[in-house]
Amino acid sequence: MNEEILMRKALVEAKKALKKLEAPIGAIIVKDGKIIARGHNLRETKQDSTLHAEMVAIRKACKKLGTWRLDNCDIYITLEPCPMCAGAIIQSRIKNVYFGAFDPKAGSAGSIINIPENPSFNHRSNITGGILENECATLLKDFFRNLRSNKKI
């Protein structure tokens, strides 16, 4: 599968978050060309600040594989990871990070800092950003615009 097809799978997850009135961010984890885990934001639903899409997907992938080491796995995320998620990505040894929209306020895979490619860490992940960027960004922008104007999402 190519990067755009897989990012569309992450967008499906983002739309699940949107239906729950969560920030529409989705993630999938792929190993050997197969999706092994999916996740979407659940912060508001579960009142847990760690339940970002990436964290949910990483936990599911670890459970499925029976290990915390996600060697040779790739993650596709609709928004550039924050510092917490970027840290979890390198800690879990994910090989490649593909994301859609850049995050100029909290992006930690190139926008503000680049945690996954920082040579100071013992593990690094390769970063590719901007995949279906417009679609991913529009979904988020519309969500927050509607939230600010108190419209039903």
Side-chain angles (χ1 to χ4, degrees):
M1 279 193 247
N2 75 25
E3 295 169 0
E4 287 188 6
I5 290 170
L6 290 166
M7 188 59 71
R8 289 196 189 288
K9 303 286 185 186
L11 276 164
V12 168
E13 289 300 309
K15 290 173 185 172
K16 288 179 185 176
L18 182 63
K19 288 181 182 176
K20 296 176 182 177
L21 303 180
E22 294 273 358
I25 302 166
I28 62 165
I29 297 179
V30 176
K31 183 174 176 88
D32 300 325
K34 293 183 179 182
I35 298 170
I36 62 164
R38 301 168 190 267
H40 56 272
N41 268 12
L42 292 170
R43 280 193 324 177
E44 298 295 334
T45 303
K46 303 280 186 174
Q47 290 299 297
D48 183 336
S49 60
T50 67
L51 292 181
H52 290 198
E54 301 95 310
M55 300 297 284
V56 172
I58 288 169
R59 287 178 180 138
K60 288 179 179 179
C62 290
K63 186 174 182 177
K64 179 166 182 92
L65 297 178
T67 180
W68 62 269
R69 294 176 191 267
L70 301 179
D71 295 318
N72 298 311
C73 289
D74 300 330
I75 190 166
Y76 291 77
I77 317 151
T78 57
L79 181 66
E80 181 180 358
C82 72
M84 173 183 68
C85 295
I89 287 165
I90 62 169
Q91 288 296 317
S92 60
R93 310 296 196 257
I94 290 174
K95 184 176 183 177
N96 297 299
V97 178
Y98 300 93
F99 68 85
F102 288 84
D103 185 352
K105 294 182 181 178
S108 297
S111 286
I112 296 175
I113 58 174
N114 190 338
I115 293 171
E117 291 182 329
N118 187 317
S120 298
F121 293 115
N122 67 328
H123 177 77
R124 283 169 290 292
S125 301
N126 303 308
I127 303 294
T128 303
I131 301 163
L132 299 180
E133 181 178 5
N134 196 36
E135 287 180 53
C136 294
T138 298
L139 189 63
L140 282 158
K141 287 176 187 174
D142 289 349
F143 171 80
F144 286 110
R145 185 180 317 110
N146 288 334
L147 194 63
R148 282 190 298 275
S149 65
N150 293 320
K151 292 181 183 175
K152 186 172 179 163
I153 300 169

